[in-house]
Amino acid sequence: MQIIDGYCGTPNIYADDIGEYNISMYGEGDYVLPVGERLGYELVSNNEVKIKDGLFITQGRRGLIKKGSTESCAIENGTQDEKRNDLIIIEYAKDGITQEESHTLKVIKGTPGAEAADPEITTGDIPGGDILHQMPLYRVKLDGLNVTAVEQLFEMGSIAPETVDPMVATEPGFAADA
């Protein structure tokens, strides 16, 4: 047994501990949280999509794009008379040697063809020790040289209802409201 929220004379709070806590609060999945611009997008051109600020969580690992900033995603040129789906993803990675963890915004290019299909992504199990996991944010649909749609793929998250303390909750039906 270990204490997490207490001073022990040496560092005793680790990413895995915080990850488990976050899972208990938000759930096991990947979510964008209701903060800031909620990772909204702006289609700048057929070759650029900007992702707006917000907070997200990938299987217990929180990350963010800082308030008031954006991150740019480069979309490769489409192919004349062919369709393609690209995915904008958040990639969680953990270095197997240093144990350093990161979140990176990436575009995974689909394969052009008569019909568009999503490219494959890696769905890992971060709490189980996987070192790679990709959270899909948006599908960018191309028809020929043009982007024809940007579709949201993420779920909005919030604190899991079962974790709310009934003595401090203010929602109708909770103890403090009775």
Side-chain angles (χ1 to χ4, degrees):
M1 181 178 301
Q2 95 180 48
I3 187 167
I4 293 175
D5 295 330
Y7 179 69
C8 297
T10 60
N12 66 309
I13 303 172
Y14 300 96
D16 289 343
D17 301 326
I18 300 301
E20 290 297 314
Y21 173 79
N22 288 336
I23 288 170
S24 77
M25 293 296 291
Y26 302 103
E28 296 177 338
D30 299 330
Y31 310 103
V32 171
L33 300 175
V35 174
E37 295 287 331
R38 301 174 183 196
L39 300 188
Y41 75 90
E42 175 188 351
L43 180 61
V44 177
S45 71
N46 286 321
N47 298 106
E48 183 182 11
V49 176
K50 285 188 178 180
I51 304 300
K52 299 178 181 181
D53 66 55
L55 183 65
F56 59 90
I57 191 161
T58 56
Q59 297 180 3
R61 298 303 198 265
R62 290 178 295 162
L64 63 87
I65 296 176
K66 290 194 178 217
K67 184 175 182 170
S69 64
T70 60
E71 292 207 14
S72 184
C73 297
I75 307 298
E76 288 188 30
N77 284 333
T79 306
Q80 191 72 33
D81 299 323
E82 293 189 311
K83 297 179 182 191
R84 187 179 86 216
N85 287 349
D86 291 354
L87 295 181
I88 298 174
I89 58 118
I90 294 172
E91 183 173 274
Y92 163 88
K94 183 175 186 176
D95 185 291
I97 296 169
T98 67
Q99 301 299 298
E100 289 182 22
E101 298 169 282
S102 63
H103 279 123
T104 308
L105 195 61
K106 292 187 172 186
V107 176
I108 300 179
K109 181 181 172 186
T111 303
E115 297 297 322
D118 291 347
E120 288 189 25
I121 62 170
T122 300
T123 302
D125 178 8
I126 298 169
D130 286 349
I131 61 172
L132 182 66
H133 173 71
Q134 296 173 325
M135 171 187 174
L137 287 180
Y138 293 101
R139 175 185 297 117
V140 180
K141 299 182 88 156
L142 291 102
D143 189 347
L145 302 175
N146 298 313
V147 171
T148 59
V150 179
E151 300 172 344
Q152 178 180 312
L153 299 175
F154 61 83
E155 289 183 56
M156 288 300 296
S158 62
I159 293 179
E162 62 272 12
T163 66
V164 176
D165 184 340
M167 295 310 294
V168 297
T170 56
E171 294 293 316
F174 282 105
D177 185 55

